Amino acid sequence: MHFFIHHKRSLSGQTWLTMKLLIILMFAGFLQVSATGYSQTVSISGTNIPVKKVFDAVKKQAGYVFFYDADLIRKAKPVTLDVRDAPVEKVLSETFKDQPFDWSIENKTVTIIKKPDFEQPSVILPQTIDVHGKVTDAEGKPLQAVSVVVKGTTKGVSTNVDGNFSITADKGDFLVFSFVGYKTVMQRVGNIPIMNVVMKIDVKEGDQVVVIGYGTMKRKDLTGSVASVNVDEIKNTPFVSVDQALAGKAAGVQVTQADGSPGGVARIRIRGGASLIGGNDPLYIIDGVPVTIQNRYIQSAADVVNPTERLGSDNSMNTTVGSSFESGLNTLAGLNINDIESIDILKDASATAIYGSKAANGVVIITTKRGMKNEKPLLEANYYTGFSNAITEKLLNADQYKAVMLEAAKNVNALRAAQGRPAEAIATSVINDPKFLGTDNTDWLKLVTRTGVTQNADLSVRGGGTGSRYYTSLDYTNQTGTLLGTDFTRLSGKVSLDNEITKRLRVITNLDYGFTKNNITNGIYTQAFYAPPTLPAYNPDGSPYIFVPSSLGAYAYQGFQNPMALLRGINRSNNLLLVGSLSLEYDILKSLKFRSTASVNYTGYHQLNYVPSTAVVASANGVSSSQGGIATQAQTQQTDAFYENTLTWDKQFNADNRLNLLVGTSWEQNNMQSFSASGQGFPDDKFLNGLSSAALALPPKASESQNSLLSFYLRANYAFKEKYLLTLTGRSDESSKFPASNRTGYFPSFGVAWRASEEPFLKKAKWLNNLKFRASAGYTGTQNLGDNLFYTLYTPVSYVSTNALVPSQLGNDQIKWESTLQKDAGVDFALFNSRLRGAVGYYNKQSSSLYGLLMAVPVAASSGFSSALVNLAEIENKGLEIDLRGDLIRGKNVSWNLAVNLSKNRSKVKNINRDIQDPNNIGYSDPYLNSNFALGNTILREGQPIGLIYGYTYKGVIKTQKELDDYTANSSYAQYGILDNLGLGYPMYGLIDTGAYKGQFARDIIGHAEPKFYGGITNTINYKQFSLIATLTFSYGGDLLYMPEVQSFGVGDLSNRNTRILLPHYSAANPDADRPELFLGDPNTYGTGPSTADVFDASYIKLKSISLNYELPKNVLSKWHIRTAMVYVAGSNLFTITKYPGPDPEISNDPYSLINGYSDAATYPTMRQYTIGARLGF
Amino acid sequence: MKRLLIYFILFALLAAYSSCNKQLNEPPKNAKVDINAIVDQQSAQVALNGVYYRFANVTSDNITDWTTHQVFSGMLTGVLGYAFGAFPEETNDNVNSQYSSSLWSENYLIINAANGVINGVNKIADNAFTGNRKKEIMAEARFLRAYADFKLLIYFAEWYKPESPYGVLLRDQLSTLSNIPKARSTVAESYKSILDDLDYAIANGPETNPDYYASKWAAMALKMRVLISRGQGQDYTDVISLGNDIIQSGNYSLEANLKDLFYSKGLGSKEVILGIKPQPSQEVFYYILSRDYYPFASSGYVASKTFKDLLQNDPRGSWMIGPASPYQAYSPDTYYFTKYIPYGSDPSQASETSYAFRLSEVYLLTSEATIRSGGSLSTAKSLIDTVMAHAGVTDFSAVDNANTADQLLLQNFYEIERNLSGEDGIEWMALLRLSFATVQQLKPTITKQMQYIFPIPLDEFQQNPSIGDQNPGYSK
């Protein structure tokens, strides 16, 4: 109905508009005819006439144009005139008599300027020239009334309606083009009389255009919280994908690089997590197309034990390859940073609610570059190359290793002798046979790492004519990782073509594509930790020297093996990302625009895994031989198709009332197919390891899924007096993921803002340039959930080799949308001539205040099911964000801008009745069993924040006989007599003190990973042609579980460990040390696992990236016929200040999970990178 | 023109919306869910095989796991034990039972899968099936439901008190979140429901079927277990006639040497009425049941001294009982239980095969019913002797010398224990059918009749408060 009324009104409006246009056209015709009919004389008479009135009369009667500074003329004295048919010159000299102005007439243009304080000596230059040309904006539209002044003189003209001007100037003079809202342009007068000038909009803080959902907006009009990332700050950094580059750039956006894998993924959380079983990554909108972050790894038939993860209690211990893919594959890796025009991060509900059910984790809108109208083709080329080094652990060298083993061997045999037990055989050998441990001196880390080399070349061409514009680019990136066998290759680019078919109809096409290839690590780095430095890497024949856990006195399940044995393995993924769209834009009216877009987001993923015959693989009872190698090939195809229609009505009713209304609808269909095939037993590791050579075919796997979403949305922005702003947004989403009764989710929001600085009483305050208060509230949702959760699902199985189907998942026909209520309040300000700008915001995010987040809840076993997903849990995130930017120096040659952002987020979990690690799994009902067997290193607990590290409590070393007696009396392990080496110097752990499990080791929360605050500092310093951009990131107060520490706490076996084992530990000579005594065969964690001894404060400040750029001066460039040229050097991770003992405190072992990922499993070392590059524009 | 355009757009929008809605409502094309799982004979057959999959208790490791059937009751009866310290079951400490919650959930998995088939098949037209197949599928599904309900009755309900209100929580619908809350039925209702299912299965079940699938004969064998447990009115006579029908049907015959059945023939033996076929290559997996008998994998299940003594002068002692377990320190007087896997050998398909119903049991239940109904002791003796002879026994004096019904009942029980222990809880049910005094004497850790059954798992009361009361003597 609404649409109708509005349309009727606009019909009449259109008629009126047409008439108006006709009148103007006719009038223009008359004007042209009568232009020559202007008289050159003027008649005017009166007393105390304002100067402005005189000008009007001259303008009217003689057709002269006046060009002046209004402020100046306001100061002019009124004049008394009585002239009749007087020449213009006479009238003006009469008027300007006794006035503080100079004036000149040029071609019927009168320019009035302030009288200089002293008379300039008039110098006659030899050559004057008539310069003429056209001034246009970046879009090619002519600019009228641009002032064109010869620098240093009073001589000036202004451009006419077609943007044309004509002025006489001396050769060598500079012409200054200035126009309100545009950047002033200065051009030197040369031999050529034609001077065409393109003026660019002078973007002030408030006029900066921000990309929001389905449109753009000026920053000053925003009621929501939107952070924009300056692409110039990141374009020369060594990051290959955009997610990494976001680190430290925006308040409320926490970025953690998972590890140092080339092209690897970063964990991004905007204002905390909002779902347990769904994803917690923000929604990315790339050129209008939604892209969801996904872990694409397909379980392969074989995986390798990760001995480091083994030290913890997570389920990931047998998934070296799986977790390496998890952090090595990056959904956004196919996008080249150089193609990006803008990055806007929508944070609060007012900004995100337009994306409804997908928006609870925030929205990152990435817009890539487009062509410019009426611009001659601009070719830009960029090349950089660089190298990277691994920041690795410090391991014992052969001598240190032997010394540690000897000490531990001596200790254990001395103790055993004292206890009256026979000596330990391995320990005796270590003591007596100096060659027992091996005679080699192998630096395993050196063997598995290398200097990575990065090369990137990209090329783009853009331009446009009167009706079309284009942008096309091609990028090639190759990065070899710092670990052998790992690399990342990308071929990406885009093609965009916008065509104006008629004045009203535009066709806009865009295609972003990226082919990426990753070679992911097999786990050689982890294995290198444990390989004894006294063993050789290779046999004399060149084959890997094989050792197994038992030869190191370890259990098979610990999975130690020669890293070189893994080297022949293959873990490759090929990814194709296509994000394409075709839009029609039709201007129904000048203010009413219709847009219809069909777009697709296609992903083709291929994965190849090969575990070589030399390697052992994880199996049900520890490890087993790969039986001649195991290969898996897997493929996923995902097509997300979108069809969207929007109507935008942008209407300025009058000076005080402005409305922007957007209504739209969207239909989305997602399809995914996946399969994998595997084989075992290959004749050769290198050549004949294709699936067809396999002796044994392993069962293939396949899956398919699909879902669809129908949405309607609306946004209204209303500005009253440019001071009071209101935004109303709403979206309804209907998804096939929900039962018909609960299918529709409504996501409304509102935002209000008050631009206080526009109030008259504040306008006087010259130091205050902008002050805006804003508040918003609204609902958003998450829908990154499984497809068929509300159906009772049957799973195909087989019995007696015949197909069977069993009910496997209890459908919850009551399942509802997860929703998040977010409230936001903030203030934006600019002070002291906008030298200091900033925003302070507070938010409160309740997920899910309406229905609860989905999590597995136990159901009665008599139902034949154990759990169902039910809307139950809640996560609360509250936080404060501070963003400050200051121009510390604003000189002509030197400028220094400092941008600081600081965020704190406090999360709290509510309504989960049991500690959980896996929200899809309910675990045991017995709290002890649940804590010991179902929970890993990290858990969620009611009333606690997210990021809880879970484990045992290390109580220190037993130092007195009383402590020993007490511990022996209380610990069941001690009573069972299992703790062989119990005595002074032995570690104590916290115990359960009541109930059936009294005396067992107790697990509890041992660390909080949530930082107290985090943020970034970006310095941008420009000095003449140089610019330096340095970004520091920091995090304070979060804990991290340092897994390698568990191994370095004792000498459980003969594997190597890091140098932390050399830290002062208890011995007869050092009875005050707080680390336990070393006994060979005793890990000092017997019956426990990660403990408080392994949890460290991961606060840090690091130089995330730095780039030094030199822009070649214009005069050099013009000689070489180059438009722009820049050379730069850059680096990343150059230094980190931290007390954290591991190589890098910014790491996550599970970047996708909300609950997990707070352990340092040291699977891939962080890299320090240096690059050097050049950019040229022709 | 403009108006026309608007109408056109509105119409297009409406059409698009309705087609979108159709798509949103469509069941998943690529997954089987409750509404599209069972639509014709073939899908019904596949779903029925899913009930057998549950019956075989195939685990996520894709192995059939009948630990609860084989080990649990053996421990309760006192013939089996755990190698690394006694389980609570061995002392009839039912509150701390390790197995009872698995037993509870395993049987409800069967019931839910069976209900899915029964409801689904009911909705399909008769002519969608060939011949009698609709009724046969229904019969097999109802047999499997009755089997699971009877297990629940024996372990979690006062089956020995016909008037007791503490019966089974009966379910006859595929579970949804909303139908989970449900109360338990009385014992009488439970028997009735089980017998209704079995009568249907006997009337409509397949005459012949591979012995890993149910036939009408398996339903008759189960009905014998049910009726002899209830022991009311005509029940013993019915058991005898059911037993005679099975014995005389000619479909089954006792294995000449029991050892061959377990060590080599497996389901190929003519004696097997219903058994569990292991999954292909199951025997190479590490965590399998026969590896827990020998050489012990993650668990170790052993024969007790009671069992060894029982087989002292019996030829079965030489192969069913192996050497003493090496873990005497933890569990003294325990021996390898080698009924399924010969000592010193690797697991095989045969060692991984499980048995639900064998003809020997039919003989022994028939003899027991004969004794209990006051029938001819010599008829009963000849049935017992026949079974023993096929186990290689030559000395029948103990049976032949039993001159009272009570003495012969005890001999009958001993033969059940020797012959059928560690298979499907048969020895435990047989023990409990004896007088309480005898039970106490044979298993001294049973001091109260409430130890015949188990408390319903506590989780059930939390998630389904509607269930009602806990079994008498136990707390919620």
Side-chain angles (χ1 to χ4, degrees), chain A residues 637-657:
Chain A
Q637 278 186 62
Q638 186 172 340
T639 313
D640 300 350
F642 306 85
Y643 181 57
E644 294 188 313
N645 292 295
T646 57
L647 264 177
T648 314
W649 189 41
D650 207 344
K651 183 75 181 170
Q652 177 96 41
F653 295 100
N654 50 44
D656 286 346
N657 292 283

Side-chain angles (χ1 to χ4, degrees), chain A residues 970-1031:
Chain A
N970 293 330
S971 161
S972 353
Y973 272 55
Q975 285 159 26
Y976 297 157
I978 302 173
L979 305 177
D980 288 339
N981 305 321
L982 184 63
L984 299 185
Y986 204 70
M988 290 183 289
Y989 290 92
L991 304 168
I992 296 171
D993 45 18
T994 53
Y997 300 101
K998 186 174 179 220
Q1000 303 273 339
F1001 295 119
R1003 290 181 90 195
D1004 207 341
I1005 294 163
I1006 56 170
H1008 291 81
E1010 186 172 82
K1012 292 198 166 61
F1013 57 80
Y1014 62 88
I1017 303 168
T1018 301
N1019 277 288
T1020 309
I1021 300 167
N1022 291 302
Y1023 173 69
K1024 291 186 173 169
Q1025 303 299 111
F1026 289 95
S1027 66
L1028 178 78
I1029 302 170
T1031 301

Side-chain angles (χ1 to χ4, degrees), chain A residues 273 276 845-848 853 874-877 908 946 1154:
Chain A
L276 294 179
K845 219 172 146 182
Q846 302 282 344
S847 317
S848 260
L853 301 179
E874 272 184 57
I875 299 175
E876 174 187 271
N877 285 289
K908 196 184 206 179
I946 283 162
L1154 179 71

Side-chain angles (χ1 to χ4, degrees), chain A residues 713-854:
Chain A
Y713 45 86
L714 172 149
R715 177 177 58 222
N717 288 308
Y718 176 70
F720 178 63
K721 287 185 182 284
E722 298 295 324
K723 283 186 291 204
Y724 310 104
L725 310 170
L726 172 71
T727 306
L728 294 175
T729 312
R731 177 157 173 146
S732 80
D733 276 331
E734 288 179 64
S735 167
S736 63
K737 293 179 180 181
F738 294 90
S741 52
N742 293 329
R743 180 159 292 156
T744 313
Y746 297 99
F747 304 96
S749 85
F750 78 91
V752 290
W754 173 40
R755 300 185 62 206
S757 51
E758 296 298 301
E759 295 289 354
F761 60 89
L762 279 175
K763 272 209 154 167
K764 280 177 229 152
K766 287 288 170 212
W767 54 272
L768 181 72
N769 309 93
N770 178 34
L771 180 65
K772 180 162 84 176
F773 296 95
R774 51 185 164 74
S776 71
Y779 289 95
T780 49
T782 40
Q783 66 125 39
N784 198 3
L785 315 167
D787 283 341
N788 301 314
L789 298 178
F790 69 94
Y791 290 113
T792 288
L793 194 67
Y794 277 74
T795 300
V797 288
S798 91
Y799 178 57
V800 290
S801 303
T802 308
N803 290 110
L805 213 49
V806 287
S808 54
Q809 163 199 288
L810 175 59
N812 175 0
D813 46 6
Q814 307 297 312
I815 206 164
K816 291 188 182 85
W817 287 96
E818 293 186 336
S819 78
T820 292
L821 171 62
Q822 187 174 183
K823 296 173 203 157
D824 184 283
V827 54
D828 299 342
F829 56 86
L831 309 174
F832 316 122
N833 201 13
S834 293
R835 262 174 181 261
L836 177 65
R837 307 173 298 280
V840 177
Y842 168 82
Y843 61 86
N844 179 327
K845 219 172 146 182
Q846 302 282 344
S847 317
S848 260
S849 51
L850 278 186
Y851 310 124
L853 301 179
L854 287 168

Side-chain angles (χ1 to χ4, degrees), chain A residues 390-452:
Chain A
I391 308 173
T392 58
E393 298 275 333
K394 286 183 188 65
L395 300 183
L396 298 178
N397 62 29
D399 290 337
Q400 289 169 325
Y401 166 79
K402 281 188 267 193
V404 166
M405 292 300 152
L406 186 64
E407 182 193 341
K410 282 180 173 166
N411 285 348
V412 75
N413 274 358
L415 181 77
R416 289 171 82 104
Q419 289 171 337
R421 286 192 293 155
E424 216 276 324
I426 294 180
T428 309
S429 302
V430 170
I431 296 166
N432 296 334
D433 180 1
K435 290 183 176 172
F436 176 75
L437 291 170
T439 52
D440 282 82
N441 189 353
T442 308
D443 185 346
W444 291 99
L445 282 185
K446 204 174 162 190
L447 279 178
V448 301
T449 56
R450 64 177 170 198
T451 300

Side-chain angles (χ1 to χ4, degrees), chain A residues 224-273:
Chain A
S225 179
V226 180
S228 301
V229 176
N230 185 349
V231 179
D232 283 340
E233 283 178 11
I234 59 174
K235 67 177 184 186
N236 288 343
T237 54
F239 303 119
V240 296
S241 74
V242 65
D243 50 348
Q244 303 167 11
L246 295 179
K249 292 296 178 191
V253 182
Q254 191 184 10
V255 182
T256 311
Q257 184 63 33
D259 62 23
S261 307
V265 70
R267 172 197 187 108
I268 299 191
R269 298 284 176 270
I270 298 179
R271 294 181 165 185

